[in-house]
Amino acid sequence: MIPTNSTITALRREFETELFEHVIPFWEKHSWDRVNGGFWNCLDRSGNVFDNTKYGWLQGRETWLFSKLYRTVEQKPVWLEMARSGAEFLKNRALMSDDRLPFRMTSDGKPVYVQRKIFSECFYVMAMAEYARASGDESYAREAQRMFEKVWEWAFDWRKVGRPSFEGETSLQSLAVPMILMNLIEELTDGLGEPFGRELADCQKAFLKHVNVPEKRVYEFVRPDGSLCTDIPEGRQLNPGHAIEAGWFLQHWAQRQKNSDLSLLAQNVVRWSHAEGWDKEKGGLFYFLDAQGHSPVQLEWNMKLWWPHCEALYAHLLNYSLTRSAEDWDLFHTTKEYTFKHFPDRTYGEWYGYLDRDGRVSQTFKGGPYKCAFHVPRALLLCWNTLKKLESEK
Amino acid sequence: MIPTNSTITALRREFETELFEHVIPFWEKHSWDRVNGGFWNCLDRSGNVFDNTKYGWLQGRETWLFSKLYRTVEQKPVWLEMARSGAEFLKNRALMSDDRLPFRMTSDGKPVYVQRKIFSECFYVMAMAEYARASGDESYAREAQRMFEKVWEWAFDWRKVGRPSFEGETSLQSLAVPMILMNLIEELTDGLGEPFGRELADCQKAFLKHVNVPEKRVYEFVRPDGSLCTDIPEGRQLNPGHAIEAGWFLQHWAQRQKNSDLSLLAQNVVRWSHAEGWDKEKGGLFYFLDAQGHSPVQLEWNMKLWWPHCEALYAHLLNYSLTRSAEDWDLFHTTKEYTFKHFPDRTYGEWYGYLDRDGRVSQTFKGGPYKCAFHVPRALLLCWNTLKKLESEK
């Protein structure tokens, strides 16, 4: 069913209230570390710090968020102050002398653990780029550019930061790498893409190897030539929420490039992944599935996590804004009903992150090693902007 | 309630049937890789190989099991053949030139991934030692001894195999290390302990730092001086099944050393961990808990895994065999009722490994990256032997 004007307006208001009254205030109130700079990441249900460890991914993501809010929503001084605090903490305290950003660190930025992956540094680039625009401080734009070059080099010569390779290893390409780089170029260039046309084309090409059109599936890992490797669980691994997120990353580029074939593919990536990942019995998106129906080896495979639902909210709404089809609206509506019923905590604000298969809260914390002010507010912001656009176009 | 003679006999028969008719035949039939040697590890519900990757921990554990069965239960030729196949695969194909054993490897033993931990090599020592006794081939005893020396060196100079250390890291000691070494000395010396008196004393000393008597708790991680580090989740982490397993490892030494204080402590470690870890609402042992009641960060914290229940079965029965108390019998009985009701698969044999909090099967595979012919048959064998002893002593 296609929504009426008043449905769109009511939803726009609901997303606005959720974002600016229930979600952002939680992080403003509880996550800013005014002593060391940066953000407390491990916050319990009511916002108390249960662990003062900080996480590199999350410092970057929250810096990005408050920069983005300041620049694109409202010039609230506290948002710029929080963004500056995060950006300075990242650049001056957390970054190591070899340009690695720790995955875990102490509250004052001393490294605890460095991942053999590039994601901490990717979120560092996002933070630097958006903070540079928010603050007008060009030195952060240069820092974003400098680190992007490192990340690009590491992404294609994994030996410099990755695990050692062994003789028996199956060479597989991870969806996460081209996907994050595609989003990173969007963030670095504020959606323009220039001067990274070649890099973007490389990412899109690598990304498309994961999309199996005949099977209507996105595989998390494929061989470098794009062929399937279904004799090991990694090669059969499906992560519907991840594919849905990748779908809207791709759609943003398809729109800018006015590439209708790519746009249709990106739409389908979202629809197929939802169809495969939705739990028809209990509702919600599964976390992991096996393409051949084997019992997934991930213990948490059937849990319902906040972020796949956040990504699906925006991905379906974006599809609807392009197609105006009842099918896409129904997917958005189904996702929105499940998500708003199960995840928000109406007592203390923000959303729970982890539900069991039945939709019961499994962990009560609001911030943890992988959850901060990012997926919930980003999805709400993107949906709010899209709903405003739909409102104005009606 | 204290069991009657006929209860003990009925239980002895039940464990015997479970072990020799429902569990061992599954592994005999499905896990032996007659082409490459060693064992298939990833077996679905009915025993089909769903991934031909092999795991170092599991190759060692299954080699140990079939050696032990051959030497201590019955000289069935197939058990010795399977043990030999595992031992030769480990020693000749899987072991790397730097004496590391891969955590993951191809079916013919080529390394895929090497953990920055010592556990693969610990299970290698167990396998070599028990196979040497089963086969009478002294060269395997020498190999066990040689690798034990490496493991001992690595355990106390972690830099040689472990993760790099970083400035902000909190130095913590893991229960797993002294615990496995204590069991390894038992296996290496067939329970005698000689000539490793000093090493054993070191392990016991390190182990006892984790036991907090005033709180009646076993902490997974403590500072090297034994003090608690409750400001980070690792320092508050409880793993009741692990502590229960450690309890019976310690009890075996307390018995041999005729140390009644240590025996009482080992009994209490089991009882306290059960009291803390048992899910009073749904039954079964939780996987992880936080000592201060925070929401555990492990997504699988409330799942019911096969191995803690296996370890608890034997630990409580061992306690009962020492105390003959109704309290210990009741703990055994409660654990046995839950375990036998929820884990065994009466259609295809063996036990499921992973249940959700409510006790519903969450993954259907019988063998996977951490599950092989080990915890279930070891616990059944230990319980069967203990029940036979109780029967004969009545």
Side-chain angles (χ1 to χ4, degrees), chain B residues 120-152:
Chain B
S120 295
E121 292 81 7
C122 288
F123 299 119
Y124 180 91
V125 172
M126 278 176 65
M128 295 295 117
E130 191 57 47
Y131 177 68
R133 289 190 289 268
S135 66
D137 183 338
E138 275 296 315
S139 71
Y140 283 91
R142 289 191 296 273
E143 179 65 2
Q145 174 70 36
R146 188 185 75 83
M147 183 60 95
F148 178 79
E149 285 163 20
K150 296 260 174 197
V151 165
W152 188 264

Side-chain angles (χ1 to χ4, degrees), chain A residues 104 111 168 234 296 358 360 363, chain B residues 104 111 168 234 296 358 360 363:
Chain A
R104 296 183 72 174
E234 287 89 339
D358 294 309
R360 294 171 300 195
Q363 351 272 114
Chain B
R104 296 183 72 174
E234 286 88 338
D358 294 307
R360 293 172 300 194
Q363 352 272 114

Side-chain angles (χ1 to χ4, degrees), chain A residues 50-51 104 106 110-111 114 116 166-168 233-234 236 295-296 298-299 301 354 358 360 362-364, chain B residues 50-51 104 106 110-112 114 116 166-168 233-234 236 295-296 298-299 301 354 358 360 362-364:
Chain A
F50 68 87
D51 173 8
R104 296 183 72 174
T106 59
K110 290 193 185 73
V114 179
R116 297 184 288 187
F166 293 103
E167 190 192 353
E234 287 89 339
R236 298 191 297 261
S295 180
Q298 296 87 356
L299 301 195
W301 76 275
Y354 305 89
D358 294 309
R360 294 171 300 195
S362 167
Q363 351 272 114
T364 58
Chain B
F50 67 88
D51 174 8
R104 296 183 72 174
T106 58
K110 290 194 186 70
V112 172
V114 179
R116 297 183 287 186
F166 294 103
E167 190 191 354
E234 286 88 338
R236 300 192 295 262
S295 181
Q298 295 88 355
L299 301 195
W301 75 275
Y354 305 89
D358 294 307
R360 293 172 300 194
S362 168
Q363 352 272 114
T364 58

Side-chain angles (χ1 to χ4, degrees), chain A residues 82-133:
Chain A
M82 288 178 75
R84 179 185 303 124
S85 178
E88 290 178 352
F89 178 84
L90 279 164
K91 186 159 163 280
N92 303 332
R93 307 193 77 161
L95 195 68
M96 295 165 69
S97 58
D98 59 357
D99 286 319
R100 297 300 318 272
L101 185 73
F103 179 74
R104 296 183 72 174
M105 62 192 90
T106 59
S107 56
D108 59 351
K110 290 193 185 73
V112 172
Y113 170 58
V114 179
Q115 274 189 321
R116 297 184 288 187
K117 297 177 178 174
I118 60 169
F119 304 117
S120 294
E121 293 81 8
C122 288
F123 299 119
Y124 179 91
V125 173
M126 277 176 65
M128 295 295 116
E130 191 57 47
Y131 177 69
R133 290 190 289 267

Side-chain angles (χ1 to χ4, degrees), chain B residues 181-252:
Chain B
L181 292 174
M182 201 160 57
N183 180 246
L184 205 53
I185 296 173
E186 179 177 352
E187 289 300 329
L188 184 63
T189 65
D190 200 20
L192 298 174
E194 293 308 324
F196 297 105
R198 186 183 57 78
E199 286 82 355
L200 194 57
D202 287 351
C203 291
Q204 289 183 4
K205 204 173 141 195
F207 176 93
L208 292 177
K209 289 178 182 170
H210 294 265
V211 182
N212 190 302
V213 175
E215 292 185 18
K216 301 187 174 186
R217 275 202 182 114
V218 180
Y219 282 86
E220 281 289 305
F221 297 97
V222 293
R223 291 206 180 85
D225 67 0
S227 63
L228 296 181
C229 176
T230 55
D231 56 343
I232 57 174
E234 286 88 338
R236 300 192 295 262
Q237 187 178 311
L238 308 175
N239 182 331
H242 208 215
I244 287 170
E245 185 181 18
W248 75 253
F249 286 0
L250 188 65
Q251 187 65 264
H252 280 197

Side-chain angles (χ1 to χ4, degrees), chain A residues 194-310:
Chain A
E194 293 309 324
F196 297 104
R198 188 184 55 78
E199 287 82 354
L200 194 57
D202 287 352
C203 291
Q204 289 182 4
K205 204 173 139 196
F207 176 92
L208 292 178
K209 289 179 183 168
H210 294 264
V211 183
N212 190 301
V213 175
E215 292 185 18
K216 302 187 173 186
R217 277 203 180 113
V218 180
Y219 282 86
E220 281 289 305
F221 298 96
V222 293
R223 291 206 179 84
D225 66 0
S227 62
L228 296 181
C229 176
T230 55
D231 56 342
I232 58 173
E234 287 89 339
R236 298 191 297 261
Q237 188 179 309
L238 308 175
N239 183 330
H242 208 215
I244 287 170
E245 184 181 18
W248 74 254
F249 286 1
L250 188 65
Q251 187 64 262
H252 280 196
W253 286 115
Q255 291 305 305
R256 171 155 296 269
Q257 295 166 355
K258 302 197 192 332
N259 183 334
S260 57
D261 289 345
L262 194 64
S263 173
L264 182 60
L265 188 77
Q267 289 166 35
N268 280 330
V269 157
V270 172
R271 293 183 198 121
W272 297 339
S273 302
H274 183 105
E276 180 124 38
W278 193 259
D279 181 350
K280 280 143 203 89
E281 202 184 322
K282 310 275 190 177
L285 290 162
F286 287 119
Y287 190 8
F288 290 107
L289 292 170
D290 180 288
Q292 295 183 350
H294 290 289
S295 180
V297 289
Q298 296 87 356
L299 301 195
E300 66 276 27
W301 76 275
N302 62 10
M303 290 180 72
K304 312 293 164 64
L305 269 65
W306 84 109
W307 68 262
H309 296 82
C310 291

Side-chain angles (χ1 to χ4, degrees), chain B residues 265-276:
Chain B
L265 188 77
Q267 288 167 36
N268 280 330
V269 157
V270 173
R271 293 184 197 120
W272 297 338
S273 302
H274 183 105
E276 180 125 38

